[in-house]
Structure formats: structure tokens, C-alpha cells
């Protein structure tokens, strides 16, 4: 499953369309990696395993019936904690927004979900996206995966760490 986690989104989508990759096995591989990673809680503010599992199961059914919604149907993605997702806290890395749970997905997440992308969770970020360094003393500063002595960089630091 390590090989799957190293593939790009387009290659994963092609593998799903060809029947070589099961979206449920793919989601499990990514979700398990999130939970097992020693810095997983510094990368992900909140994992959305149930949502991911349900989306992957639906993608598997579409793949089996030849009804994929597009080239990324069944492909897992992470979301910066700036994007509203229904039923999951969206706090933008700020204690000011702690416990804020939207009732619906923001338009871009809604569109991605309609296209079949599998939401793994919300990644940490700099507070309110106001830092080019990626530091967040309020919630968590994501690690620099390649250099533990360095900062990750950018307001999407957790998103970058989730990809790495």
C-alpha cells in the first residue's frame, strides 16, 4: 500500500477506472497512515474517517458499475482547515473559531465531493491563513516532513505535510 500513497492523483484515478485500485482499500491505506504517523495529529486537525469511508464505498460502487463521475472519483484528498465541511469543525487554525461546526460544505468541497473525491480530513494551517511560515502557536504547527528542524512554510503547511 506504500506504493499507492506515493502515486499522484491522476494515476490513482486511472487505476480506479481500470479496476486495478479499489477506492475503499485506497481510503484505508491513507486513513491508516494518518493514524499511524507519529506527527499525524500535527498534520491533521481532524481526520474524517467515517466521511472518507462512506465516500470511498460509494466510489467503489460507481467504479464497479462503470459510472465513475470523473477522473478523480475515489481519489483521497485532504482539506485545509479553512474550508467548511458539514458536521466537522472548521476552525481555520484559530482558537477564536474553536467548536465552529458548519451545517454544509463550502462550494469547492461540495463540488469536489460531487466529483467523487474522498475527504480524508482537515489539515492544520497557520492561524486564519495569515502566515507565510506555517507556524501556529494557537493550535499546532505542522511538521516539516523532510527536515524536522525546519518549519513547513506557508498557510497551507498542514496540506503540504499531508501530501509529503
Amino acid at each position: 500500500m506504500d506504493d499507492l500513497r506515493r502515486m499522484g492523483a491522476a494515476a490513482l484515478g486511472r487505476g480506479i477506472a481500470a479496476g486495478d485500485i479499489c477506492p475503499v482499500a485506497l481510503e484505508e491505506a491513507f486513513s491508516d497512515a494518518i493514524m499511524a504517523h507519529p506527527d499525524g495529529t500535527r498534520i491533521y486537525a481532524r481526520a474524517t474517517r467515517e466521511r472518507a469511508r462512506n465516500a470511498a464505498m460509494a466510489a467503489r460502487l460507481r467504479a464497479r458499475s462503470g459510472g465513475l463521475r470523473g477522473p478523480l472519483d475515489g481519489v483521497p484528498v485532504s482539506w485545509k482547515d479553512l474550508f467548511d465541511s458539514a458536521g466537522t469543525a472548521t476552525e481555520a487554525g484559530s482558537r477564536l473559531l474553536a467548536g465552529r461546526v458548519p451545517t454544509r460544505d463550502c462550494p469547492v468541497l461540495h463540488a469536489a465531493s460531487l466529483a467523487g473525491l474522498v475527504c480524508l480530513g482537515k489539515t492544520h494551517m497557520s492561524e486564519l491563513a495569515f502566515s507565510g511560515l506555517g507556524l501556529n502557536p494557537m493550535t499546532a504547527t505542522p511538521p516539516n516532513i523532510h527536515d524536522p528542524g525546519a518549519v513547513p512554510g506557508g498557510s497551507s503547511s498542514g496540506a503540504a505535510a499531508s501530501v509529503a
Side-chain angles (χ1 to χ4, degrees):
M1 288 297 172
D2 274 352
D3 291 342
L4 291 176
R5 294 196 335 260
R6 297 191 191 313
M7 293 172 68
L12 291 171
R14 287 190 298 272
I16 291 167
D20 297 330
I21 298 173
C22 172
V24 174
L26 186 59
E27 176 275 322
E28 288 173 352
F30 276 87
S31 291
D32 289 348
I34 291 166
M35 297 303 156
H37 195 282
D39 290 318
T41 58
R42 287 182 50 216
I43 298 169
Y44 280 84
R46 281 161 297 287
T48 55
R49 188 121 198 208
E50 183 178 347
R51 178 180 179 145
R53 178 76 171 180
N54 290 339
M57 289 171 47
R60 178 176 61 188
L61 289 173
R62 289 189 297 273
R64 287 179 176 168
S65 69
L68 288 173
R69 294 176 174 174
L72 298 178
D73 196 345
V75 174
V77 295
S78 64
W79 289 91
K80 184 176 180 176
D81 191 27
L82 190 64
F83 295 95
D84 283 351
S85 54
T88 301
T90 301
E91 299 173 349
S94 179
R95 289 184 185 156
L96 296 172
L97 298 174
R100 180 184 165 273
V101 179
T103 57
R104 62 184 186 181
D105 290 345
C106 69
V108 69
L109 179 55
H110 178 72
S113 295
L114 286 177
L117 277 89
V118 175
C119 178
L120 295 171
K122 312 286 284 294
T123 57
H124 282 290
M125 55 181 281
S126 61
E127 187 173 19
L128 302 172
F130 285 151
S131 169
L133 295 177
L135 300 172
N136 188 329
M138 296 296 117
T139 56
T141 296
N144 181 316
I145 299 297
H146 300 292
D147 183 355
V151 294
S155 68
S156 297
S157 52
S162 76
V163 172

